[in-house]
PDB file of all heavy atoms in Angstrom:
ATOM      1  N   VAL A1075      -6.315  -3.512 -29.474  1.00 31.00           N
ATOM      2  CA  VAL A1075      -7.686  -3.548 -28.965  1.00 31.00           C
ATOM      3  C   VAL A1075      -7.797  -4.526 -27.801  1.00 31.00           C
ATOM      4  O   VAL A1075      -8.391  -4.231 -26.763  1.00 31.00           O
ATOM      5  CB  VAL A1075      -8.667  -3.934 -30.090  1.00 31.00           C
ATOM      6  CG1 VAL A1075     -10.045  -4.199 -29.519  1.00 31.00           C
ATOM      7  CG2 VAL A1075      -8.731  -2.820 -31.126  1.00 31.00           C
ATOM      8  N   ALA A1076      -7.187  -5.712 -27.964  1.00 32.00           N
ATOM      9  CA  ALA A1076      -7.244  -6.712 -26.895  1.00 32.00           C
ATOM     10  C   ALA A1076      -6.577  -6.190 -25.631  1.00 32.00           C
ATOM     11  O   ALA A1076      -7.070  -6.386 -24.521  1.00 32.00           O
ATOM     12  CB  ALA A1076      -6.568  -8.005 -27.349  1.00 32.00           C
ATOM     13  N   PHE A1077      -5.430  -5.516 -25.795  1.00 33.00           N
ATOM     14  CA  PHE A1077      -4.721  -4.981 -24.639  1.00 33.00           C
ATOM     15  C   PHE A1077      -5.533  -3.894 -23.948  1.00 33.00           C
ATOM     16  O   PHE A1077      -5.609  -3.830 -22.726  1.00 33.00           O
ATOM     17  CB  PHE A1077      -3.365  -4.430 -25.066  1.00 33.00           C
ATOM     18  CG  PHE A1077      -2.610  -3.780 -23.940  1.00 33.00           C
ATOM     19  CD1 PHE A1077      -2.096  -4.542 -22.908  1.00 33.00           C
ATOM     20  CD2 PHE A1077      -2.430  -2.412 -23.910  1.00 33.00           C
ATOM     21  CE1 PHE A1077      -1.406  -3.951 -21.880  1.00 33.00           C
ATOM     22  CE2 PHE A1077      -1.744  -1.814 -22.869  1.00 33.00           C
ATOM     23  CZ  PHE A1077      -1.230  -2.588 -21.855  1.00 33.00           C
ATOM     24  N   ALA A1078      -6.172  -3.046 -24.741  1.00 38.00           N
ATOM     25  CA  ALA A1078      -6.992  -1.981 -24.158  1.00 38.00           C
ATOM     26  C   ALA A1078      -8.129  -2.570 -23.329  1.00 38.00           C
ATOM     27  O   ALA A1078      -8.454  -2.077 -22.244  1.00 38.00           O
ATOM     28  CB  ALA A1078      -7.541  -1.095 -25.271  1.00 38.00           C
ATOM     29  N   GLN A1079      -8.735  -3.651 -23.841  1.00 42.00           N
ATOM     30  CA  GLN A1079      -9.814  -4.289 -23.099  1.00 42.00           C
ATOM     31  C   GLN A1079      -9.292  -4.907 -21.810  1.00 42.00           C
ATOM     32  O   GLN A1079      -9.938  -4.828 -20.764  1.00 42.00           O
ATOM     33  CB  GLN A1079     -10.475  -5.353 -23.977  1.00 42.00           C
ATOM     34  CG  GLN A1079     -11.264  -4.765 -25.149  1.00 42.00           C
ATOM     35  CD  GLN A1079     -11.758  -5.831 -26.103  1.00 42.00           C
ATOM     36  OE1 GLN A1079     -11.265  -6.953 -26.102  1.00 42.00           O
ATOM     37  NE2 GLN A1079     -12.731  -5.476 -26.919  1.00 42.00           N
ATOM     38  N   SER A1080      -8.098  -5.544 -21.880  1.00 59.00           N
ATOM     39  CA  SER A1080      -7.509  -6.142 -20.686  1.00 59.00           C
ATOM     40  C   SER A1080      -7.188  -5.085 -19.641  1.00 59.00           C
ATOM     41  O   SER A1080      -7.445  -5.266 -18.450  1.00 59.00           O
ATOM     42  CB  SER A1080      -6.232  -6.909 -21.063  1.00 59.00           C
ATOM     43  OG  SER A1080      -6.526  -7.966 -21.939  1.00 59.00           O
ATOM     44  N   SER A1081      -6.626  -3.964 -20.091  1.00 70.00           N
ATOM     45  CA  SER A1081      -6.316  -2.875 -19.170  1.00 70.00           C
ATOM     46  C   SER A1081      -7.589  -2.313 -18.557  1.00 70.00           C
ATOM     47  O   SER A1081      -7.627  -1.972 -17.374  1.00 70.00           O
ATOM     48  CB  SER A1081      -5.559  -1.773 -19.914  1.00 70.00           C
ATOM     49  OG  SER A1081      -4.300  -2.237 -20.347  1.00 70.00           O
ATOM     50  N   ALA A1082      -8.644  -2.228 -19.381  1.00 82.00           N
ATOM     51  CA  ALA A1082      -9.922  -1.723 -18.869  1.00 82.00           C
ATOM     52  C   ALA A1082     -10.474  -2.654 -17.810  1.00 82.00           C
ATOM     53  O   ALA A1082     -11.009  -2.201 -16.783  1.00 82.00           O
ATOM     54  CB  ALA A1082     -10.918  -1.565 -20.018  1.00 82.00           C
ATOM     55  N   ASN A1083     -10.345  -3.965 -18.002  1.00 88.00           N
ATOM     56  CA  ASN A1083     -10.811  -4.920 -17.004  1.00 88.00           C
ATOM     57  C   ASN A1083     -10.055  -4.749 -15.691  1.00 88.00           C
ATOM     58  O   ASN A1083     -10.651  -4.751 -14.603  1.00 88.00           O
ATOM     59  CB  ASN A1083     -10.632  -6.354 -17.510  1.00 88.00           C
ATOM     60  CG  ASN A1083     -11.586  -6.704 -18.637  1.00 88.00           C
ATOM     61  OD1 ASN A1083     -12.616  -6.055 -18.797  1.00 88.00           O
ATOM     62  ND2 ASN A1083     -11.247  -7.724 -19.412  1.00 88.00           N
ATOM     63  N   ALA A1084      -8.750  -4.586 -15.791  1.00 89.00           N
ATOM     64  CA  ALA A1084      -7.936  -4.391 -14.594  1.00 89.00           C
ATOM     65  C   ALA A1084      -8.329  -3.100 -13.883  1.00 89.00           C
ATOM     66  O   ALA A1084      -8.475  -3.064 -12.654  1.00 89.00           O
ATOM     67  CB  ALA A1084      -6.450  -4.368 -14.966  1.00 89.00           C
ATOM     68  N   ARG A1085      -8.520  -2.041 -14.655  1.00 88.00           N
ATOM     69  CA  ARG A1085      -8.898  -0.759 -14.065  1.00 88.00           C
ATOM     70  C   ARG A1085     -10.268  -0.839 -13.405  1.00 88.00           C
ATOM     71  O   ARG A1085     -10.492  -0.267 -12.326  1.00 88.00           O
ATOM     72  CB  ARG A1085      -8.863   0.338 -15.126  1.00 88.00           C
ATOM     73  CG  ARG A1085      -9.078   1.750 -14.564  1.00 88.00           C
ATOM     74  CD  ARG A1085      -8.785   2.802 -15.621  1.00 88.00           C
ATOM     75  NE  ARG A1085      -7.370   2.791 -15.984  1.00 88.00           N
ATOM     76  CZ  ARG A1085      -6.432   3.424 -15.283  1.00 88.00           C
ATOM     77  NH1 ARG A1085      -6.749   4.104 -14.187  1.00 88.00           N
ATOM     78  NH2 ARG A1085      -5.175   3.383 -15.671  1.00 88.00           N
ATOM     79  N   ASN A1086     -11.204  -1.544 -14.015  1.00 89.00           N
ATOM     80  CA  ASN A1086     -12.541  -1.693 -13.425  1.00 89.00           C
ATOM     81  C   ASN A1086     -12.473  -2.404 -12.085  1.00 89.00           C
ATOM     82  O   ASN A1086     -13.179  -2.040 -11.141  1.00 89.00           O
ATOM     83  CB  ASN A1086     -13.462  -2.458 -14.381  1.00 89.00           C
ATOM     84  CG  ASN A1086     -13.887  -1.639 -15.584  1.00 89.00           C
ATOM     85  OD1 ASN A1086     -13.833  -0.412 -15.556  1.00 89.00           O
ATOM     86  ND2 ASN A1086     -14.284  -2.314 -16.650  1.00 89.00           N
ATOM     87  N   ILE A1087     -11.636  -3.439 -12.001  1.00 90.00           N
ATOM     88  CA  ILE A1087     -11.479  -4.171 -10.744  1.00 90.00           C
ATOM     89  C   ILE A1087     -10.888  -3.269  -9.663  1.00 90.00           C
ATOM     90  O   ILE A1087     -11.362  -3.235  -8.522  1.00 90.00           O
ATOM     91  CB  ILE A1087     -10.590  -5.415 -10.961  1.00 90.00           C
ATOM     92  CG1 ILE A1087     -11.319  -6.430 -11.845  1.00 90.00           C
ATOM     93  CG2 ILE A1087     -10.204  -6.053  -9.629  1.00 90.00           C
ATOM     94  CD1 ILE A1087     -10.423  -7.541 -12.368  1.00 90.00           C
ATOM     95  N   LEU A1088      -9.853  -2.504 -10.027  1.00 88.00           N
ATOM     96  CA  LEU A1088      -9.236  -1.598  -9.058  1.00 88.00           C
ATOM     97  C   LEU A1088     -10.162  -0.448  -8.703  1.00 88.00           C
ATOM     98  O   LEU A1088     -10.184   0.008  -7.548  1.00 88.00           O
ATOM     99  CB  LEU A1088      -7.915  -1.077  -9.618  1.00 88.00           C
ATOM    100  CG  LEU A1088      -6.798  -2.124  -9.741  1.00 88.00           C
ATOM    101  CD1 LEU A1088      -5.604  -1.559 -10.494  1.00 88.00           C
ATOM    102  CD2 LEU A1088      -6.376  -2.624  -8.368  1.00 88.00           C
TER     103      LEU A1088
END
Side-chain angles (χ1 to χ4, degrees):
V1075 170
F1077 176 70
Q1079 291 173 342
S1080 298
S1081 295
N1083 290 339
R1085 187 170 294 277
N1086 287 339
I1087 292 167
L1088 291 172

